[in-house]
Structures are given as C-alpha cells and as structure tokens.
C-alpha cells in the first residue's frame, strides 16, 4: 500500500464530505419532526364519540364546557369527566373522557344554537374550506417522507457496498488490477517453460496490437489452462498481465452464480464491457468448470442459471471485434466436464496443459520460495527436489513454510536440513497423530511394514526404499516410504507386478509370522485392486484380454462417477476381466509370500530393530544388513 500523508488519511472522526452534509441535516430534521408529531399524538387525550342524542342530553345537563363546529363535525370538552353508560353498568369503573365529538344530523336543529346560548357555552366555528396552501402541505407531507426514507436507505446501501448502490448485485464481482498494481512477472513463476512460450505471443499482441493487425493476424480470443490443483494456473495468468502491462480482471466461476435468475449473465456482460473500455486487457476466469459444464443434461432445464451464464460467455467471446485487444484466460482442473462450444476455435483456441513440476522445475520453485529465507549451509535443495516427486508448486511452497515454522518453534536462527526433512514428512505423510498403541499392535504393525520393506529391498526394478516407521501419522498406523530416483512417465509390466507384490507384502508378513490376518491391510488391498484392474483393462497387460480396452467411460462426469459409468463390453468379457484381475493379484501374493518365507531371518531382524528405534532410514537399514 502506498504511503498516505497524515493530512489525507481518513479517520473515524473525519466529517462527511460536503456534498453529504445537507443530506444528513435534512435526515435529522425529518426524524425530529416525525418524533415530535408522534409524541404530541401520544400526549393528547383520547376523544369519545357521542351519539347526537347523548350530546343534546349532556348539553341540557349543562355538562358541556366548549364547542367547536366544523362542517358536520362537532367537537368539544366536558365540564366534568364523562363515563359512558355501558361502562357504568359493569362492576369495574370504566375510563372517563374529557373530550368528545359527534356528527350533526342531515336535518336542521333550530334548538341547538338556543341551547348553546342559554347555557353560555364557549363556541367556535371553523371555515369548511381550508386554505390552498394547507391542502398542498397536507398532500405533500407523505410524499416528502417517502422520498426522504428511500433516499436515506439508498445512501446507506451505497456506502455499505462501496458506492455501487442498492441494486448492484447484477454488477461484475471481478477484481480489477491496473497495470501498475501487478507486481508478478514470469521470473516469479518457476517452471512451466512451455506454457510461458505459448503465452509470450499473447503478451506481444497485448503490448503491440498494431504489429499483428497490419499483417491481418488474429490472436487467440481465449486460452484454457488445464492442470491439477496447485500447479500455478492463477499465478501464471497474473504474471502474463504483468508482463504485458495491461489491466487484469480476475474472477472465479462461482462468483457469477446467485439466487436471482439472470444475475450471472448480467455480471458477464458488465465484466466484458469494462474490459473493452480499458482494452488492451486480460480477463482471467478461474475454475471455469463451475459454469462451463456440458449443457443439455436435463438438470435445471434450458433455463438453468449456469446455462444462461455460459451462453452469455459464449456470446461475449464471439462478439469481440478484430480491433478489440481483449484476451480471456481460463483455468480448470476438470477439462473433461467442459461444454464443447467453449473449446471450439474462436473461443478458447489454445489449450495449455500444466503438469506437476519435474525435478528441474521443483528445484526452481524451491529456490523462489527460499530466496528470502535464511538457510543453513547443510540444506541441499537438489536433494529436497529429488525427494518430492509428485508434489505441486503449492505443496512445495507449503513445505518451505512448514520448515520455517518448525525452525521457529525450535528457536533456530536459520532453517536447516532437519527442518526440511520434518516438513517433507508432514506434507507427504501427515502429522504424527500421537496414538498410543499396545505392545501386540506395535509388533503386528512392525512386521507389516517390514514385509513391505523387505520386498522393496529384494525385488528388482522398483522404487528404492527410503524409510520405515511405526509412528502413527494421519490415518496410517505405520509407513513404508519409497522415493523414486527420477520422475517416471512410463511404467513397465515388470515394475507394476513387483509393485503389486510390495503392496501385498504387509499382509503376507502378518500371515507368515502370526498365522492370522488383520484389517490393517485394507488400504493396501484397495490400491492393489485398482492397479491390477488398470493393468488388465487399460494397459493391455493381460494375456487373455490382450489389447482390448475395457476402461469404463464417463458420459457426464459432473453427475458423479458412480452414476455415469458407461460400460461398452459384454458380461462375458466383464467376467474375463475379473478373472484376469484375480490372476494378477494371486500371482503377486504368491510371489510376495514365497520371497518373505525365504528371507524370514531378515524380516525378523528388521522388525526387531524397528520395534527398538520406531523409525529407520535407508542408511540404518543398510548398516543393519551389512553386519
């Protein structure tokens, strides 16, 4: 935030702007008049409506003190308080009245004036025609009060909604950043080199649109960024606007949707209109899948608010003229749910796939997030990058922050390697849960984890073993960690079959040592079944099914996978698929059990050491078996 001189800073005691002073004063005057009028009515005594006969009776009794006649209405006061006859008959004393009014009958009463004069009653008559100004004032007062009331409420709403007015829900909620307020640049976005190359052309067009117009070139109207959560889509969009030096409009798809029908389409129109006025400009729609899902599914009908909003986005992107330098960037992690009309040329012409960072990109991301933090000399960012395969950019930023928090808790002057190891375990494996296990449970968990570890040590072409632990973390009571030496893009059948053996190794170890199984292998069995099914159905690693693809397709992904799975093979082949999955699992289980049985001494030695130490890293395991 820029520095603001003391004389210009707003304080709680600062007077309202001059243009609002008259409004506040008028509001106070009106409120005081309303209060005075209400108070006078509350203070005035109630009047009793008398029948004309009762009025004449009281007149004859000389109980009338004063009379005022106006047209057919006679009002006045009693000499002594009057109690109605119907209340006198009740057991309790009723209310007495000092004032009254009655209505003259349509016939002339010649004795009325004689009775008034004979009893010497104070008499006053008013004109039946009030003045013009009085009538005008009486007619204007209700309208003045209504105008002041609505003006005051509008004033309050306008100030509470930052000056947008009380009906501003149809205005766009996009955050607007001017070119000077965007500090992010491509140097702040580590990795994503291919995406940056594709976006540099867009930056050049936004910076120098005339260069392309002279050659008749047409820049893509929209660019869709697809990738898993946390891979830097939002940061890359903002850095693109920063590099181009143009205004940036940022909005999430959910901000278009409200309970009022048509609000989403109105907000889309307002946002694109604002961007056109400030062109060249960049619009960024995050999580576009929340409004850009496939239409025509019967959910909400053709008038569904999401469909209306999507239709308006399609119309606005088609409405760009060739001289309007406005580019739309959108981000999603579910591209399979998007409507085909969004993806056709002329709307989102280009698709950028942002994958999880590889080894080099992870090192760059760690360097960006640690450049302003004090690091100890023993910190090896290259080693940390190699041990964080599968983590996104957001995960790596969280890892660095967790390391800094741990160093602060330990009262250290800098962040050392131990802090990063602690943070990596916390991010990748979860926090220590502090569960207190009984001795039989600790022993069973130790043999279970050692079953995984022995197979990871002995089987070829598998990810190297890094650590085993029986300290509960998250929902896991024990952990066996394998760290790949490099990023993998392809998996061989031998690697996957050995991985199946490792997954089932804990179960086999329990059967071998205790001659009894437990529920601790539930997650291992689930993962093994999923892997075996993909091997047989998708990757052609089954002799019986060969290259037949038996993957179940999702026709409408946003309805939910369980509801929308579409099977395109017969029951005969479904039975074959189940048989092949079972065959792969059985072969892996038999191989795991035979390997553990042949190396039972190593299993028991490793389990005994794990029970003593609770956590063993790869160096400790190698030292144990080297003896």
């Amino acid at each position: 935030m820029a520095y603001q001189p003391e004389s210009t800073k707003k304080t709680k005691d600062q007077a309202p702007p001059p243009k609002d002073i008259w409004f506040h004063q008028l509001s106070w005057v009106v409120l005081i008049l309303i209060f005075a009028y209400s108070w006078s009515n509350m203070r005035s005594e109630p009047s009793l409506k008398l029948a004309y006969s009762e009025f004449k009776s009281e007149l004859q009794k000389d109980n009338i003190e004063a009379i005022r006649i106006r047209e057919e209405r006679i009002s006045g006061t009693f000499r002594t308080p009057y109690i109605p006859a119907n209340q006198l008959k009740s057991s309790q004393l009723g209310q007495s009245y000092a004032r009254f009014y009655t209505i003259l009958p349509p016939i002339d009463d010649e004795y009325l004036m004689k009775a008034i004069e004979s009893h010497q009653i104070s008499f006053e008559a008013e004109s039946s025609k009030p003045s013009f100004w009085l009538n005008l004032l009486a007619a204007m007062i209700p309208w003045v009060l209504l105008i002041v009331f609505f003006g005051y409420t509008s004033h309050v709403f306008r100030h509470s909604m930052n000056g947008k007015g009380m009906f501003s829900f149809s205005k766009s909620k996009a955050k607007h950043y001017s070119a000077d307020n965007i500090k992010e640049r491509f140097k702040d976005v580590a990795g994503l080199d291919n995406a940056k190359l594709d976006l540099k052309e867009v930056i050049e067009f936004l910076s120098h649109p005339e260069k392309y117009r002279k050659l008749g070139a047409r820049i893509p109207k929209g660019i869709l960024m697809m990738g898993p959560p946390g891979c830097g889509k939002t940061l890359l969009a903002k850095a693109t606007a920063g590099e181009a030096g143009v205004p940036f409009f940022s909005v999430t798809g959910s901000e278009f949707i409200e309970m009022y029908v048509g609000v989403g389409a109105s907000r889309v129109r307002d946002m694109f209109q604002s961007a056109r006025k400030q062109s060249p400009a960049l619009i960024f729609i995050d999580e576009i899948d929340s409004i850009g899902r496939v239409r025509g599914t019967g959910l909400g009908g053709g008038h569904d608010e999401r469909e209306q909003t999507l239709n308006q986005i399609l119309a606005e992107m088609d409405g760009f003229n060739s001289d309007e330098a406005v580019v739309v960037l959108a981000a999603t992690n579910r591209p399979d749910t998007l409507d085909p009309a969004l993806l056709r040329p002329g709307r989102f012409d280009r698709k950028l796939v942002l994958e999880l960072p590889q080894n080099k990109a992870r090192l760059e991301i760690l360097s960006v997030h640690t450049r302003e933090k004090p690091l100890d000399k023993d910190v090896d960012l290259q080693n940390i990058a190699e041990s964080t395969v599968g983590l996104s950019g957001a995960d790596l930023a969280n890892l660095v922050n967790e390391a800094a928090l741990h160093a602060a808790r330990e009262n250290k002057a800098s962040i050392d390697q131990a802090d990063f190891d602690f943070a990596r375990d916390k991010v990748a494996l979860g926090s220590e849960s502090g569960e207190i296990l009984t001795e039989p449970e600790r022993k069973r968990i130790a043999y279970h984890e050692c079953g995984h570890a022995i197979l990871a040590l002995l089987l070829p072409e598998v990810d190297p073993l890094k650590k085993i632990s029986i300290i509960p973390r998250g929902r896991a009571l024990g952990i066996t960690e394998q760290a790949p030496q490099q990023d993998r893009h392809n998996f061989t059948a031998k690697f996957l079959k050995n991985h199946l053996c490792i997954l089932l190794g804990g179960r086999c170890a329990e059967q071998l040592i205790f001659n009894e199984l437990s529920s601790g292998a539930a997650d291992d069995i689930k993962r093994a079944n999923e892997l075996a099914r993909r091997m047989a159905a998708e990757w052609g690693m089954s002799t019986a099914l060969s290259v037949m693809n038996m993957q179940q397709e999702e026709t409408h992904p946003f309805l939910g996978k369980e509801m929308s799975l579409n099977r395109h093979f017969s029951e005969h082949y479904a039975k074959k698929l189940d048989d092949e999955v079972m065959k792969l699992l059985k072969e892996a289980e038999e191989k795991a059990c035979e390997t553990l049985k042949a190396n039972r001494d190593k299993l028991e030695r490793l389990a005994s050491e794990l029970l003593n130490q609770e956590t063993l890293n790869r160096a400790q395991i190698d030292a144990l078996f080297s003896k």
Side-chain angles (χ1 to χ4, degrees), residues 47-274:
S47 297
L48 173 67
K49 183 179 181 181
L50 280 178
Y52 187 70
S53 59
E54 293 181 0
F55 162 68
K56 292 184 66 175
S57 175
E58 293 299 316
L59 189 61
Q60 294 296 330
K61 295 177 183 179
D62 197 18
N63 193 28
I64 303 298
E65 182 178 8
I67 287 178
R68 176 182 294 177
I69 299 178
R70 181 180 180 184
E71 295 183 350
E72 293 87 7
R73 180 185 174 92
I74 301 176
S75 60
T77 57
F78 294 106
R79 295 186 188 276
T80 60
Y82 177 80
I83 301 175
N86 58 351
Q87 295 187 13
L88 287 171
K89 296 178 182 179
S90 61
S91 58
Q92 297 181 352
L93 185 62
Q95 180 181 0
S96 61
Y97 294 88
R99 303 177 63 85
F100 72 93
Y101 72 94
T102 187
I103 305 299
L104 279 169
I107 59 175
D108 294 334
D109 189 352
E110 57 185 14
Y111 299 103
L112 176 60
M113 293 305 298
K114 294 180 180 180
I116 292 174
E117 292 175 355
S118 63
H119 290 284
Q120 297 181 351
I121 298 171
S122 175
F123 175 77
E124 183 181 354
E126 292 184 0
S127 174
S128 60
K129 293 184 179 180
S131 66
F132 169 78
W133 295 108
L134 187 61
N135 286 334
L136 181 62
L137 181 62
M140 288 181 62
I141 285 177
W143 292 103
V144 170
L145 294 177
L146 283 174
I147 291 172
V148 170
F149 172 75
F150 282 109
Y152 180 74
T153 54
S154 177
H155 175 79
V156 172
F157 271 97
R158 185 167 57 251
H159 279 267
S160 64
M161 301 176 72
N162 297 324
K164 293 182 179 179
M166 61 184 299
F167 299 107
S168 63
F169 53 80
S170 62
K171 299 294 182 181
S172 171
K173 290 188 176 182
K175 297 177 182 178
H176 174 232
Y177 301 89
S178 63
D180 298 334
N181 292 334
I182 303 175
K183 307 301 180 185
E184 289 79 1
R185 298 293 185 269
F186 276 169
K187 62 182 178 60
D188 300 313
V189 184
L192 305 178
D193 294 333
N194 293 332
K196 291 178 185 176
L197 288 175
D198 287 335
L199 290 172
K200 281 182 179 178
E201 195 173 77
V202 176
I203 294 170
E204 184 70 17
F205 171 77
L206 292 173
S207 303
H208 309 287
E210 298 81 7
K211 173 182 174 181
Y212 289 84
R213 289 170 186 161
K214 289 179 181 178
L215 298 174
R218 183 180 60 85
I219 201 69
K221 293 182 179 180
I223 299 175
L224 181 65
M225 296 186 291
M226 305 176 290
C231 62
K233 298 185 289 292
T234 304
L235 180 61
L236 184 61
K238 205 166 186 179
T240 303
E243 291 284 344
V246 297
F248 181 67
F249 295 84
S250 176
V251 66
T252 60
S254 60
E255 290 180 2
F256 290 115
I257 306 301
E258 285 283 357
M259 62 180 292
Y260 304 106
V261 176
V263 171
S266 177
R267 288 177 177 174
V268 170
R269 285 192 295 270
D270 184 69
M271 180 182 67
F272 276 85
Q273 184 179 4
S274 300

Side-chain angles (χ1 to χ4, degrees), residues 359-567:
N359 189 14
K360 179 183 176 183
R362 289 196 300 273
L363 179 59
E364 294 177 1
I365 293 171
L366 289 170
S367 300
V368 168
H369 291 294
T370 58
R371 63 189 174 191
E372 296 182 0
K373 293 180 173 59
L375 299 182
D376 198 75
K377 294 180 180 179
D378 68 339
V379 174
D380 186 358
L381 293 181
Q382 179 64 46
N383 183 30
I384 297 172
E386 292 175 355
S387 63
T388 52
V389 176
L391 296 189
S392 66
D395 292 330
L396 294 172
N398 186 37
L399 184 145
V400 174
N401 185 59
E402 288 290 345
L405 292 175
H406 185 260
R409 285 196 297 269
E410 299 293 327
N411 298 318
K412 297 178 180 179
S414 60
I415 309 172
D416 57 21
Q417 187 65 38
D419 297 319
F420 279 100
D421 291 340
F422 173 87
R424 195 196 62 82
D425 290 344
K426 186 174 182 179
V427 171
L429 306 176
S431 302
E432 295 183 8
S433 61
E435 290 250 2
I436 300 176
L437 304 175
T438 63
E439 193 58 33
E441 285 179 326
R442 289 180 74 251
K443 187 175 181 180
R444 180 177 289 274
I445 294 168
Y447 275 99
H448 181 102
E449 300 303 329
C450 289
H452 294 308
I454 291 295
L455 292 172
L457 287 170
L458 297 177
L459 294 178
E461 296 186 24
V462 296
D463 292 330
L465 177 67
K466 182 170 185 179
K467 180 196 296 185
I468 54 175
S469 174
I470 56 173
I471 299 176
R473 285 182 176 272
R475 300 178 62 183
L477 298 177
I479 291 168
T480 301
E481 183 185 357
Q482 293 175 262
Q485 293 178 326
Q486 56 188 359
D487 297 302
R488 289 183 179 272
H489 304 90
N490 199 9
F491 302 94
T492 63
K494 186 175 183 180
F495 172 87
L496 294 173
K497 288 180 179 180
N498 287 337
H499 189 62
L500 279 178
C501 292
I502 296 172
L503 287 174
L504 299 175
R507 183 174 184 272
C508 293
E510 289 186 47
Q511 178 70 34
L512 177 64
I513 300 299
F514 303 102
N515 198 26
E516 185 182 12
L517 299 175
S518 72
S519 61
D523 187 62
D524 297 332
I525 294 174
K526 177 183 177 181
R527 292 166 58 193
N529 274 265
E530 291 174 354
L531 178 58
R533 186 165 293 275
R534 296 194 70 181
M535 291 171 63
E538 299 178 34
W539 299 331
M541 297 180 182
S542 165
T543 55
L545 300 175
S546 185
V547 294
M548 183 176 182
N549 179 18
M550 301 182 67
Q551 181 183 6
Q552 292 177 315
E553 297 178 353
E554 299 178 23
T555 54
H556 299 296
F558 60 95
L559 291 177
K561 293 183 179 179
E562 292 80 5
M563 296 175 59
S564 62
L565 291 179
N566 181 27
R567 195 174 70 182

